[in-house]
Every structure is written in structure tokens, then in C-alpha cells.
Amino acid sequence: MELSEKYPALAIGDFLAIHIPDPGEEHSFGEGMREDLEVLADLRDSGMSHGHVPYPEPGGLLPWGDSSDGDLFYWRTTDRGPDTWTILVSGRNDDWCEFRGGLTEYLAGLVSGAVPPDGLPPDFPGRTPSVDSD
């Protein structure tokens, strides 16, 4: 919530897009999120989601970003509230990697190099990553 209140949609290194709704465009944002959840439900129904389920199912995944390579980024939800949610990366090569921390911690760690880009290209985000906002 704090990230979305302070920043518009963000992109790191022209690669990772963080989805944040623009004021007045919440309906379109919600429609896009529903589509992403339907894709995950289809993967689950096909046995290709590695046991992951879409939100609002218990422990369901809620999308928050994607990459130019087709990687998908989710929160793994819990019934204990958003402060306990973890980050799950679905790499385009069918890698599923978890980061046990919050979104801001994950993004700052990727940019600083403190968090390895598990499931992503090994050279992401590079030595001097750009962070752009709309």
C-alpha cells in the first residue's frame, strides 16, 4: 500500500514492471488482475502451476508484476494479512522461487544486489539499474 501511495507504476531496468493502479483507472487495473488470475487458474487446472492456486483461494497467489521476458511476480497470500505475504517469482523457464519478505524489501534488494535474481536472468538488474516511473 505504501509503495502504491508514493509511486506510480514502476519499471526496473526496462525489464521488471510493477503494477500499480493509476487513480481513476482502478476498474481497468482490476480487470487486468482478473485476467492474470484466470491464467493461473488455467495452469492449475492443467496441472502446470506446481500446486500454486490463484487468490482468493487459501494461500492463493496475487499478481503484482511481470517482466519483458514473461516472468510473473506474485504475492503468496496468507490468512494472517499482507504483512505476512511472501514474494513468489514464476520464471519463464518454469522456475518457481520464493523470497520471504515484503515487496519493497525484495525490490530494494534486487536493485542493490542484496537479493539474488532467483528465477530471473543472472545479470538482472545489472551494475547500475534504472528505475523508471510512469
Side-chain angles (χ1 to χ4, degrees), residues 76-123:
R76 183 195 311 258
T77 64
T78 70
D79 59 358
R80 296 181 309 273
D83 290 339
T84 65
W85 296 359
T86 59
I87 302 299
L88 196 67
V89 178
S90 172
R92 70 179 179 144
N93 295 321
D94 203 29
D95 300 321
W96 289 82
C97 305
E98 186 169 14
F99 174 77
R100 295 193 176 272
L103 177 58
T104 304
E105 181 184 0
Y106 177 72
L107 295 175
L110 280 176
V111 170
S112 71
V115 171
D118 293 337
L120 304 173
D123 59 346

Side-chain angles (χ1 to χ4, degrees), residues 4 8 13 32 36-37 42 50 54 57 61 63 65 67 71 73 76 86 89 92 94 99 103 130 132:
S4 68
D36 290 345
L37 292 170
D42 289 343
H50 297 265
E57 295 180 36
L61 303 184
S67 80
D71 308 293
F73 299 83
R76 183 195 311 258
T86 59
V89 178
R92 70 179 179 144
D94 203 29
F99 174 77
L103 177 58
S130 63
D132 301 303

Side-chain angles (χ1 to χ4, degrees), residues 45-58:
D45 296 345
S46 302
M48 298 172 54
S49 71
H50 297 265
H52 301 293
V53 298
Y55 181 83
E57 295 180 36

